[in-house]
Amino acid sequence: MIPRYRFANAYFKSKRRMIGPWLKSSHELVNLTYSLSPENQRYAAQYLSLITGRPASEAAGYIQELLNDPEIPAHVARQVAQSSERFVSDEEVRYGRRVLYYALARLIKPKVIVEAGVDKGLAMVCFSRALARNAEEGFPGKVIGIDIESKAGYLVKPPFDAHSEFVLSDSVEAVRAITEPIDIFIHETIVSHESEHARLLETRLSEYGFIFSAWNTGAFREFAERTGRNYLVFAEELKDHWYQGGHLATVFRLPVRQTDSDLANVATQRAPESSLSS
Ligand SMILES: C[S@@+](CC[C@H](N)C(=O)[O-])C[C@H]1O[C@@H](n2cnc3c(N)ncnc32)[C@H](O)[C@@H]1O
């Protein structure tokens, strides 16, 4: 048993070593923030390319646009330092999955984004920045953030509150009241909301709209199957963090579907079997 124990333990050793430095360097208790590994960021660009049909290089460019933005880290550090939440929040910005949210908003230029579950508002700040840049390029849009806690969204302050609205409410009630088509929906409240959100989105998600969910109960996969959409899951790999990373469920519909003749063309262009094996 000892060699087998050592073998299994080796998988967790390096993660365990990260707990001590994290205890000293971070104040976070819940909704931990972390950075994606560089390789996972490259994979995120490929993932965005797959779900939008846009070049991965363009998605990678938008991810870098966020990571190289000096104003968001300065803004977040200022807001956290002034907030009563500073004892459970970090001044350093670590975007994690929000690099996908930002790059998607830059890629598809949405009119309406809804984020259910705002917490301190880091994703709202990223969306607000993306929407400001989209507006400068002639594509206005807005983000509606919903949270049941009145202190949520304390990072969403000028200039990162432009193009944003905050709704203090239970998210199911708030989504029920939305009548305009939703281009990006972020489900990050509680696991039990997933099936109710899915039901409400049947009539509220725009034809080529996207859903991201931090939970994977199967409700959004069933939603995708019911409504003729696709469902994929992005697995986060973290840089220097003990947390194993989340799984980001994504519902989408590709704008261009391959026709039978496209597929036939691909088949005839394939290399003959003999050349593959040589
Ligand atoms: C994981 S955090 C959201 C993280 C956030 N999207 C981000 O980018 O950091 C979950 C949030 O959902 C909110 N929440 C929980 N139950 C809710 C409900 N019934 N309606 C609306 N918000 C809720 C919590 O107050 C909390 O702020």
Side-chain angles (χ1 to χ4, degrees):
M1 276 197 176
I2 289 170
R4 293 176 66 242
Y5 173 79
R6 284 194 184 128
F7 179 45
N9 192 41
Y11 276 84
F12 305 101
K13 238 181 178 166
S14 60
K15 289 281 180 192
R16 264 198 224 110
R17 272 195 220 112
M18 293 177 189
I19 296 176
W22 171 80
L23 286 173
K24 289 185 202 142
S25 65
S26 175
H27 296 114
E28 293 179 341
L29 281 176
V30 292
N31 192 27
L32 304 180
T33 61
Y34 42 78
S35 299
L36 302 183
S37 72
E39 184 57 18
N40 200 225
Q41 282 168 13
R42 287 189 276 275
Y43 179 72
Q46 291 291 340
Y47 188 85
L48 287 165
S49 172
L50 189 68
I51 65 171
T52 61
R54 304 290 287 278
S57 56
E58 199 183 349
Y62 286 135
I63 290 174
Q64 287 310 314
E65 184 176 83
L66 177 68
L67 295 176
N68 295 333
D69 188 328
E71 288 174 37
I72 299 180
H75 171 81
V76 169
R78 250 190 332 269
Q79 296 307 321
V80 170
Q82 288 167 14
S83 164
S84 58
E85 297 297 297
R86 63 187 177 281
F87 302 111
V88 288
S89 304
D90 293 343
E91 290 183 22
E92 186 191 341
V93 171
R94 295 173 289 260
Y95 293 110
R97 63 191 175 281
R98 300 167 197 85
V99 300
L100 284 104
Y101 298 166
Y102 176 88
L104 179 66
R106 292 289 280 138
L107 284 165
I108 71 158
K109 319 287 187 215
K111 289 202 177 79
V112 178
I113 301 170
V114 174
E115 186 189 25
V118 168
D119 194 35
K120 53 183 169 284
L122 186 53
M124 287 275 282
V125 165
C126 295
F127 280 134
S128 171
R129 187 60 149 171
L131 291 169
R133 289 193 166 123
N134 287 352
E136 279 165 19
E137 293 167 8
F139 301 98
K142 67 174 176 182
V143 55
I144 304 169
I146 305 163
D147 207 290
I148 204 158
E149 291 285 342
S150 57
K151 66 182 178 202
Y154 68 84
L155 296 180
V156 190
K157 298 271 167 56
F160 294 98
D161 58 348
H163 316 280
S164 69
E165 293 170 15
F166 179 74
V167 181
L168 179 62
S169 163
D170 172 73
S171 75
V172 170
E173 293 311 312
V175 174
R176 192 172 284 130
I178 295 175
T179 51
E180 42 202 337
I182 299 170
D183 300 312
I184 300 177
F185 184 84
I186 308 292
H187 166 75
E188 292 196 5
T189 54
I190 46 175
V191 65
S192 60
H193 274 177
E194 197 166 72
S195 52
E196 192 57 20
H197 280 160
R199 201 183 62 72
L200 291 168
L201 286 168
E202 283 201 18
T203 51
R204 288 166 180 81
L205 191 67
S206 64
E207 190 178 354
Y208 295 111
F210 293 81
I211 301 171
F212 283 93
S213 175
W215 308 106
N216 281 297
T217 64
F220 280 129
R221 180 184 41 71
E222 285 163 17
F223 169 89
E225 288 162 1
R226 253 195 332 271
T227 62
R229 290 178 165 91
N230 300 101
Y231 180 86
L232 280 181
V233 178
F234 179 84
E236 291 179 324
E237 281 174 14
L238 312 193
K239 179 172 174 258
D240 305 332
H241 203 292
W242 55 262
Y243 175 51
Q244 62 173 5
H247 289 85
L248 198 57
T250 313
V251 175
F252 64 104
R253 177 180 274 147
L254 278 178
V256 181
R257 288 203 176 277
Q258 284 182 319
T259 63
D260 287 349
S261 66
D262 288 335
L263 292 172
N265 284 340
V266 171
T268 55
Q269 285 162 17
R270 268 194 207 127
E273 219 166 278
S274 56
S275 72
L276 284 178
S277 55
S278 66

